[in-house]
Amino acid sequence: MTTVPSASQWGSPIASKRALLVHGGNSSSHTFHRVASMLAAKGGSSSLERPGVDFRVQTLADDLLPYLQAAEYDIVIGHSIGGLVVLSLLKYLPRTRPVSVVLIDTSVELSAEQMAVVRKPKVPNDVRARPNPTVEDYVASNPLWTREDAIWRSLGIQIGRATNYDDHMDGNMPWSFSHLFADRPAAAKLTILIADPQSQANGALKLEAVAKFKEVRVVIVPNVSHWIHHEFPEVIVEEALRNIGEERGDGP
């Protein structure tokens, strides 16, 4: 089986600012390579990868808790189910020190009926419809991706199991995580980036689930898929740094 490091780091380990990046399912830490590289100029950034068989969100959060206990982070970012892991870690963030939290296209609420729709493969290179899509498959179907994006995405599929997608779903039923917003410390600024609802079938569901939380900044990213960090990484970086600038008055 192909393996990659359980954690990857960009930038200097003694930088003045730090960012923690948590990837989604069927991925590896290097799927954040463009976002991490952009943030490296501002501070060291790490992202986590956890192969395994227990995909319950709380289990994943418990595995990452030592990172928050060992260092102070200025930015915490999570993609897809990684965003749910970040939500589960909100209660461990500092009460008074500002932290910028960004969730990338994360579904926080899904009913059983909505879950049945989401489970259906929607694109030709979906691993559920076509096991082990190649780098060329990803390049052909994702014109905004770099070849490196496609390579790391393909690797993420290879290091996982064919049942990973369903394991993530089955291990987290009922799919209800919006109550975790209440754990956000007052000093933490939370932004949710949602891929263009017109570009994906469940985009409207993601927007509906978070629109009622007035303390959360919701940003719709047009003309983008679920993989915002591959297609428009600069949007993620801008939002992450925006929150720090608002709190500290020093801007990016």
Side-chain angles (χ1 to χ4, degrees):
M1 176 181 289
T2 305
T3 59
V4 296
S6 60
S8 305
Q9 182 169 305
W10 287 261
S12 170
I14 60 172
S16 61
K17 294 183 180 179
R18 300 176 66 88
L20 179 69
L21 314 180
V22 185
H23 67 75
N26 282 335
S27 293
S28 76
S29 59
H30 280 76
T31 59
F32 266 124
H33 71 103
R34 287 210 268 170
V35 172
S37 296
M38 290 179 180
L39 286 171
K42 301 292 183 180
S45 61
S46 301
S47 57
L48 289 301
E49 197 285 323
R50 182 192 179 271
V53 296
D54 187 344
F55 295 109
R56 288 174 294 178
V57 167
Q58 188 57 57
T59 300
L60 299 174
D62 290 344
D63 285 348
L64 299 191
L65 181 57
Y67 286 87
L68 290 180
Q69 294 172 330
E72 292 185 342
Y73 291 92
D74 302 278
I75 296 171
V76 181
I77 300 174
H79 171 242
S80 196
I81 195 171
L84 299 179
V85 174
V86 170
L87 282 180
S88 297
L89 292 170
L90 286 180
K91 60 188 175 183
Y92 300 109
L93 296 181
R95 298 285 107 185
T96 58
R97 189 175 62 81
V99 178
S100 175
V101 179
V102 180
L103 309 184
I104 306 170
D105 210 41
T106 296
S107 295
V108 298
E109 293 286 341
L110 288 171
S111 66
E113 293 77 13
Q114 293 166 342
M115 182 71 78
V117 173
V118 170
R119 280 179 182 268
K120 297 178 181 178
K122 298 175 179 64
V123 293
N125 58 19
D126 190 308
V127 68
R128 293 164 292 164
R130 180 176 181 174
N132 299 317
T134 67
V135 170
E136 299 305 327
D137 291 331
Y138 284 117
V139 169
S141 58
N142 298 279
L144 295 178
W145 291 22
T146 66
R147 186 170 186 81
E148 190 173 359
D149 292 330
I151 290 171
W152 289 122
R153 174 61 178 148
S154 178
L155 178 60
I157 294 297
Q158 293 177 37
I159 63 177
R161 302 179 304 169
T163 60
N164 272 10
Y165 186 89
D166 287 330
D167 291 342
H168 278 93
M169 294 292 188
D170 295 337
N172 291 289
M173 295 294 289
W175 195 276
S176 180
F177 298 92
S178 60
H179 64 281
L180 295 173
F181 286 123
D183 293 334
R184 179 188 66 88
K189 290 291 186 180
L190 177 56
T191 297
I192 300 179
L193 303 180
I194 297 178
D196 193 339
Q198 296 183 359
S199 301
Q200 55 175 341
N202 63 332
L205 298 178
K206 295 173 183 175
L207 180 59
E208 179 183 354
V210 300
K212 61 184 177 181
F213 295 97
K214 303 305 180 183
E215 72 280 9
V216 176
R217 175 176 164 81
V218 179
V219 178
I220 297 175
V221 185
N223 305 314
V224 71
S225 74
H226 181 58
W227 301 90
I228 302 174
H229 50 312
H230 288 340
E231 296 163 10
F232 293 106
E234 65 276 7
V235 173
I236 299 169
V237 173
E238 179 182 345
E239 287 298 327
L241 296 177
R242 176 185 185 277
N243 288 340
I244 293 178
E246 283 183 348
E247 284 296 323
R248 299 183 183 178
D250 52 7

